Structures are given as structure tokens and as C-alpha cells.
Amino acid sequence: MGFSRSDPMVAADWLVENLSSPDLLTVDASWYLGGSKNAGQARCDYEAAHIPSAVFFDIDDVADHASALPHMLPDAETFASKAGGLGIADTSRLVIYDKNSYAASARAWWMFRAMGFENVRVLDGGWNAWIEAGGEASDAPTAVIEQPFNAQKRENLVKSLEQMASIVAQGSHIIFDARPSGRFSGESPEPRADLKSGHMPGARNVPAGQVRAPDGKLKSAEDLDSLFGDTSGPIVTSCGSGVTAAVLALALARLGRDDVAVYDGSWTEWGAGDHPIETVRGV
């Protein structure tokens, strides 16, 4: 059974009513970048309180560990093994949530779609919306039975460094950069050492936080349309390391653009090499 709507989000009220559906699985994909809120803390937070029967999806674990870049998309075989090991089957319906403003739930949503799995949605408003809707918080371990999962990478949803170099040179795609405006303009330093400041030539800046409404839910299609402006033509999103780029892809999917690609290496890759960079000063 599939989801009835094409929108990438589901409401917390809907999830409360449908949580017991036998084919519906909830996935906690919380993830924190550095500082006190790191990957280990996210798992601890999950163990302390999660949606009943939810499994924990760690984007740093479901990754290409042969790459020097953080949490890069793994190959299809690895992804299938990890997903199946969490009890996710080809016939499952997934609702993914997190506790930090879509950062990793959007990334996980994109990862499943990039592996050919479309029966996936993101919980609008995340954990906070679940609690506000009267959803229960559980600390009980989730029993998992491994399931067969078939993954087939959709190359059109993932862009490599070589592809981005061509896109920038030819101006063939709209590039939306999800980083904060200061990092995009080059006026603020990058949090990762040894990365240049600025942005890819021709890129447009839409900080990921701007796609959220004051209540933490994804903005309406009308508001998102005003935010993004012209979205006709091929689109690729980028950010610091490929996480919040997926937040923009999620927002664009609400506008009917479910074909948006993510530059997986993002600025961690581009800003570390000898690639063309623009700043607010045009340098």
C-alpha cells in the first residue's frame, strides 16, 4: 500500500491515527553536527524517547566509509543491507522524523529515494509536532526482524564533483546552496578547517532554515514558491556536507519537483579543492 498524497510530508495527527498500520514503519534519523550534540548523543536521545516501534537510522553509519568525505551515500548493496537490517522491507511505508529541524530526516528521505525507494515521507514538524499531537514517547527497545530490501541507485538524484564542475562551467542547472548567508557570501568562515569561503559560480542562496515556518513545520507551497523563485529547469542542491541540501530538495518536492539532485560532497569537497569560487566581492 502506498501513501495517498504526492506531498513529501505527513501530519503528526495522521501518524497518530495510522501508527498501528502493519506496513507502516517510523524511522528516527536525528543527527547533530559536532559539539555536544554529536552522533552518539542522537542515539542516546533516541533510546531515551522515540515514537513507539521506531528504529534509529544513523546517516554516519549508513555511508560510504571508504570515502574521506563525511556521510557520503553508500553503494546500493551496502544501503540494502543496512535498510533490511533495520527491518525495512520493499513493501514498507516509511515515515522519517528527527529532533532537529529536518536536517537528517530530509537526508534520510533523500537517501531512500536515491536508492529507488519512493514509499517514504517526512513527519511535518518532527518530534515536537508528534508530542504536540498527543503522540506517545517510548524508551522501549524496538524489536527488529531483518527484511529483504532491494536498492537500485538513481543516478539522476545524486551529483558528483565531476558532474558539478561541468554544471558550473555550462550553467546547465539551477544550483541552490543551503548554507547560511555569511558562509555563502564568503563573509563568514567555514566551520571545517582548510575550506575556502564563498560559493559555486551562479549558485543561489536559500538557507535551509528559511523553508521552515515559525511553528517548525515546512512552509506552504505558496510560501516556498516565493522563496525559491524560478525553479524551471534542472536543479541541484548543495550545502556544507550534503545534509541540509536535502532539506531544500524536500522543500522543492512540495512544489512538485521530485527530480531535484543533491551534490553529495557539497562544500566540503568543492571548497577544499582548486575549483572556481565566488564571494560577495566577486573574487
Side-chain angles (χ1 to χ4, degrees):
M1 181 186 299
F3 290 99
S4 60
R5 300 178 59 210
S6 59
D7 189 271
M9 316 299 289
V10 296
D13 289 341
W14 180 92
L15 185 58
V16 169
E17 294 175 3
N18 290 274
L19 188 63
S20 61
S21 298
D23 64 331
L24 187 68
L25 296 179
T26 52
V27 177
D28 186 325
S30 297
W31 173 87
Y32 311 116
L33 177 61
S36 61
K37 288 287 191 180
N38 53 30
Q41 184 62 51
R43 185 177 288 276
C44 288
D45 288 352
Y46 160 80
E47 292 173 351
H50 53 263
I51 293 176
S53 300
V55 295
F56 184 70
F57 186 96
D58 183 351
I59 65 171
D60 284 325
D61 176 55
V62 188
D64 178 5
H65 297 291
S67 174
L69 298 169
H71 40 253
M72 292 284 283
L73 191 69
D75 60 40
E77 182 179 1
T78 299
F79 188 90
S81 175
K82 294 288 188 180
L86 290 175
I88 300 170
D90 294 331
T91 55
S92 299
R93 287 187 296 165
L94 299 187
V95 174
I96 304 180
Y97 73 95
D98 63 33
K99 298 178 179 178
N100 52 323
S101 304
Y102 304 126
S105 56
R107 171 75 186 187
W109 166 85
W110 169 77
M111 290 173 70
F112 275 97
R113 294 187 63 249
M115 288 296 169
F117 186 86
E118 291 287 354
N119 223 0
V120 56
R121 300 290 187 272
V122 172
L123 178 61
D124 204 2
W127 174 254
N128 289 339
W130 170 258
I131 296 300
E132 290 170 4
E136 296 181 9
S138 173
D139 61 0
T142 297
V144 171
I145 300 175
E146 186 171 356
Q147 299 291 331
F149 187 91
N150 178 55
Q152 294 182 332
K153 187 176 179 181
R154 293 179 59 189
E155 300 290 349
N156 65 308
L157 295 185
V158 190
K159 296 301 180 187
S160 67
L161 175 62
E162 293 74 17
Q163 289 172 316
M164 289 306 299
S166 176
I167 286 169
V168 168
Q170 298 177 18
S172 59
H173 288 56
I174 299 170
I175 304 171
F176 287 117
D177 190 320
R179 292 175 299 152
S181 59
R183 290 167 58 191
F184 178 86
S185 69
E187 296 173 295
S188 300
E190 287 293 312
R192 292 179 174 84
D194 302 323
L195 291 184
K196 304 178 184 73
S197 296
H199 57 269
M200 288 175 277
R204 307 180 196 172
N205 189 209
V206 179
Q210 292 187 6
V211 307
R212 298 191 305 272
D215 63 359
K217 296 178 182 177
L218 196 65
K219 285 182 176 178
S220 68
E222 181 180 6
D223 288 342
L224 291 172
D225 189 51
S226 297
L227 177 65
F228 283 102
D230 180 20
T231 56
S232 58
I235 299 174
V236 59
T237 63
S238 182
C239 61
S241 64
V243 178
T244 56
V247 176
L248 298 191
L250 179 71
L252 287 160
R254 171 157 278 185
L255 295 178
R257 292 302 306 268
D258 60 0
D259 58 345
V260 172
V262 168
Y263 172 26
D264 204 12
S266 283
W267 199 254
T268 299
E269 185 172 44
W270 189 273
D274 185 20
H275 309 295
I277 292 173
E278 290 181 348
T279 68
V280 69
R281 296 173 299 278
V283 178

